[in-house]
Amino acid sequence: MKNIIAANWKMHFDINEAQDVARKMAEIIDTTAIDTIVCANFIHLDRLNTIFQKTNIKLGAQNMYFEEKGAFTGETSPIMLKSVGCKYVILGHSERRHIFKEDDNLINKKTKSAIEHGFIPIVCVGETLDDRNSNKAFHVIENQLKNSLDGIDLRKVVIAYEPVWAIGTGVAADKKTIEEMHNFIRKIATDTPILYGGSVKPSNAEELASIDNVNGFLIGGASLVAEDFKDIIDKFIKTKGV
Ligand code: 13P
């Protein structure tokens, strides 16, 4: 199973800040033991493509519309993303689902389009605290997977489990919770890398990497600092022994 560590820079950095962090990453991160991906804002991608060109860091977007072109003001197409060197695209991130009201049907269309255009989509799923407290976590994840990945060859995607209540809080989900959910997802997606996301940082990277069926991380806050991102990558590789 392929191991992947992806940065999700979300809506951070102007172009100069993005360039500085990307240059630092290009300088200090160089591994082929895992796939390293940086998912940046649309306006950063072209510049980052140049910076990462001769490195082992691959480029990803944080969203994508499913149509190739047309009257879709404010949207970004697979053709556009391909032209700036993107290989990956995050789809259905919890912030897209909750703030921008994306549903599984839309995420499904985007995922199909991404695959058709040669991308590897990183499809995110995750339950809210309410879902978990009312014992619906497994049901919610099963439904999100079933609906957003309907009709899709699961060997062509990456799944990211990001419990909404652990994102950006500084406190990751506990080991048992992650293990149970990743084992549950593994039964549905036997050959798909499953990433964990939600407050991954250098201080918990080893513990989280030690969990079975955690094939990598999707990292927000800690990926904004090149040294921290590298530290997490190094700890993951060492713990997994890859
Ligand atoms: P944090 O690592 O900041 O909790 O964000 C996780 C996330 O949403 C990555 O997609």
Side-chain angles (χ1 to χ4, degrees), residues 122-126 158-162 182 185 193-197 218:
I122 302 173
V123 180
C124 303
V125 295
V158 172
I159 293 171
Y161 170 57
E162 299 205 309
H182 279 239
I185 297 171
I194 308 170
L195 316 185
Y196 168 77
L218 183 54

Side-chain angles (χ1 to χ4, degrees), residues 8 31 52 72 91 114 116 125 143-144 165 183 220 227 229:
N8 176 7
T31 179
F52 293 149
F72 304 104
L91 295 173
E116 276 163 22
V125 295
N143 270 330
Q144 287 180 356
W165 46 273
N183 289 345
E227 289 84 354
F229 190 52

Side-chain angles (χ1 to χ4, degrees), residues 27-61:
E27 188 188 314
I28 63 175
I29 296 170
D30 184 23
T31 179
T32 49
I34 60 159
D35 283 355
T36 306
I37 306 161
V38 173
C39 300
N41 187 276
F42 294 134
I43 68 146
H44 302 148
L45 294 174
D46 192 29
R47 182 108 34 121
L48 264 54
N49 187 31
T50 308
I51 296 171
F52 293 149
Q53 208 121 59
K54 291 195 178 80
T55 73
N56 285 310
I57 301 173
K58 298 185 177 85
L59 198 56

Side-chain angles (χ1 to χ4, degrees), residues 8 10 90 93 95 162 166-169 197-200 218-222:
N8 176 7
K10 306 194 179 183
I90 297 173
H93 189 276
E95 287 141 23
E162 299 205 309
I167 295 176
T169 60
S199 299
V200 177
L218 183 54
I219 308 168

